[in-house]
Amino acid sequence: MLWSLIKIIAFVVAVTALTYGAMMLMDVEGGATIGVAGKEITLSTLEMVFALAALAVTVWLGLKLMAFLVATFKFLNGDETAISRYFDRNRERKGYEALSEGMMALASGEGHLAMTKAARADKYLKQPELTNLLTAQAAEMTGDRRKAEETYKKLLQDDRTRFVGVRGIMKQKLSEGDTATALALAQKAFALKPKHEETQDVLLRLQAEKADWAGARQTLGAKLKSGYLPRDVHKRRDAVLALSEAVEILDEGKTIEAREAAVEANRLSPDLIPAAIMAARSYIADGNARYASRVLTKTWNAQPHPDIATAFAEIVPDETPEQRIKRFRTLTKSTVDHPETKMLLAELNIAAEDFPAAKRALGDLVEKEPTARSLTLMAAIERGEGADDSVVRGWLTRALTAPRGPQWICDNCQHIHPKWAPTCSNCGSFDTLSWKNAPAEEVAMPSGTEMLPLIVGQNSKTDLPAEVAVAEAEIVDPEPSK
Ligand SMILES: [Zn+2]
């Protein structure tokens, strides 16, 4: 604003000064007399100023002509490119002008103008590595995918622009959803520029999606080396990849290698529950109960989870329920207040048919944090203690509408997974599954659920909702640590 004001003032001042100067010159008496070929020409002062200006222009034109004549002379003396060089300098100037205008157009979002300028720059410059880039980007902006791809392919031919070409086509394939081709291109781009962060990320994501765990671990290593990944994050993700690798080798029947990979994953990230379980199972298979017990306890202390308890039970499969309760003290002694511990101890006591102890273990969990599981356990305890059917059904009905408790939930899209997986099946994010409560429990139930306890308390079993009947059937034969 201020700057434009200054410019306007400067312009007015300049015009005034020029007019004033010209008037002064007109008022000046006399002039100059030039003698040419016997004649005398008398010029006024103003005419003299114009004559000088005309002279300057003539000299400039003369110099241009001289340069052209010199070029022609050189050409006649055998320098064949002299004249074309003379014109090339002009072409080059025009070419660079078009190129810079094209880049401006691109930056201001005028795709079609950028395209025209790119074509002009290409005509004058004959430097495809410069102009193709502009053409490709302008083509993408205008939505001309075919032209863009064609231009990217041209970029592949030059060593200096190959990476740009590969990256361009890769991005196109990604947006088309052709992940197989995109993966091959990402690998090529990675080979050309191993330190390019975006390429590393794309490659890693595609490798994880295609379950190429070994390749993904290499890419992750490259990310760490380039300094784009904190060491602890690398360790955790490497553990997830190692675990996925282990699961895959196990599916192929190579148990020994799978065990090694699982133990490695557990070493990298002891709080990764599925890795700990897999490592523990491999120790159990080796007959190393002490190691199995140790890895499971360590992970349980970081995050109590029913699967850990299941694996812990597998260490001594044929013990009595009483022996099991005693052995499980090692696992649970540091987490006595955790809901998972309370429910686990209740389950173990139900299996041992010590129902008062089971009730004590459960404590006030059903009041403070009722979940489907804790309420079902309560129903089992009541049945074991010989309570009335209506009481048992009351607990089961509460369980129907109670929150599910923690589940494997994606931190990114909140999708709930029935079991742990390295990548989210919904949004494809890597290592985003956490064992936690769903943010908002939305149990779709027909209205009037509040009346259920009254209804089921009086009706016969055949009229019960299917879920209650199933839950009840499970309770008749309670299984420990399930
Ligand atoms: Zn997700």
Side-chain angles (χ1 to χ4, degrees), residues 409-417 423-430 432-433:
I409 297 172
C410 172
D411 292 331
N412 190 37
C413 69
Q414 311 302 331
H415 184 76
I416 299 171
H417 294 71
T423 39
C424 171
S425 62
N426 185 45
C427 68
S429 304
F430 178 71
T432 50
L433 262 56

Side-chain angles (χ1 to χ4, degrees), residues 152-222:
Y152 281 133
K153 278 188 181 151
K154 281 184 198 158
L155 287 170
L156 295 179
Q157 286 147 20
D158 191 318
D159 274 348
R160 289 168 299 174
T161 55
R162 185 164 300 139
F163 178 78
V164 182
V166 173
R167 178 176 172 268
I169 302 174
M170 177 187 82
K171 290 199 139 187
Q172 282 199 321
K173 294 293 171 198
L174 271 180
S175 66
E176 283 167 16
D178 180 0
T179 45
T181 317
L183 177 62
L185 288 164
Q187 275 159 343
K188 200 171 227 170
F190 182 68
L192 290 169
K193 267 194 185 193
K195 286 187 175 175
H196 192 256
E197 194 180 3
E198 184 207 51
T199 306
Q200 292 174 343
D201 288 343
V202 171
L203 182 60
L204 191 61
R205 188 164 61 79
L206 292 173
Q207 282 170 326
E209 261 173 40
K210 302 265 174 219
D212 173 11
W213 310 116
R217 286 188 80 182
Q218 270 177 18
T219 315
L220 200 73

Side-chain angles (χ1 to χ4, degrees), residues 396-402 442-450 452 465 467-468:
L396 286 178
T397 316
R398 270 186 72 190
L400 270 183
T401 48
E442 282 177 28
V443 185
M445 287 292 285
S447 58
T449 342
E450 313 81 49
L452 263 177
E467 291 94 330
V468 179

Side-chain angles (χ1 to χ4, degrees), residues 80-201:
E80 283 172 15
T81 59
I83 290 187
S84 60
R85 277 213 315 274
Y86 172 78
F87 284 108
D88 277 353
R89 274 200 292 279
N90 281 333
R91 295 175 69 89
E92 205 174 59
R93 192 175 47 75
K94 282 182 191 165
Y96 278 118
E97 246 168 43
L99 188 68
S100 64
E101 281 165 7
M103 277 154 85
M104 294 287 186
L106 201 65
S108 50
E110 296 164 287
H112 288 286
L113 182 65
M115 200 82 160
T116 321
K117 293 292 176 191
R120 192 177 151 85
D122 189 42
K123 195 177 99 192
Y124 285 124
L125 280 179
K126 302 257 180 288
Q127 289 195 52
E129 69 277 10
L130 281 180
T131 47
N132 277 344
L133 200 57
L134 183 63
T135 312
Q137 295 208 329
E140 275 204 350
M141 190 175 276
T142 52
D144 188 349
R145 301 179 67 85
R146 215 174 48 83
K147 173 88 180 165
E149 192 175 335
E150 200 177 277
T151 321
Y152 281 133
K153 278 188 181 151
K154 281 184 198 158
L155 287 170
L156 295 179
Q157 286 147 20
D158 191 318
D159 274 348
R160 289 168 299 174
T161 55
R162 185 164 300 139
F163 178 78
V164 182
V166 173
R167 178 176 172 268
I169 302 174
M170 177 187 82
K171 290 199 139 187
Q172 282 199 321
K173 294 293 171 198
L174 271 180
S175 66
E176 283 167 16
D178 180 0
T179 45
T181 317
L183 177 62
L185 288 164
Q187 275 159 343
K188 200 171 227 170
F190 182 68
L192 290 169
K193 267 194 185 193
K195 286 187 175 175
H196 192 256
E197 194 180 3
E198 184 207 51
T199 306
Q200 292 174 343
D201 288 343

Side-chain angles (χ1 to χ4, degrees), residues 216-236:
R217 286 188 80 182
Q218 270 177 18
T219 315
L220 200 73
K223 254 178 104 65
L224 177 73
K225 240 194 248 166
S226 329
Y228 299 133
L229 205 64
R231 195 161 283 278
D232 54 331
V233 178
H234 168 264
K235 219 172 169 182
R236 160 80 190 190

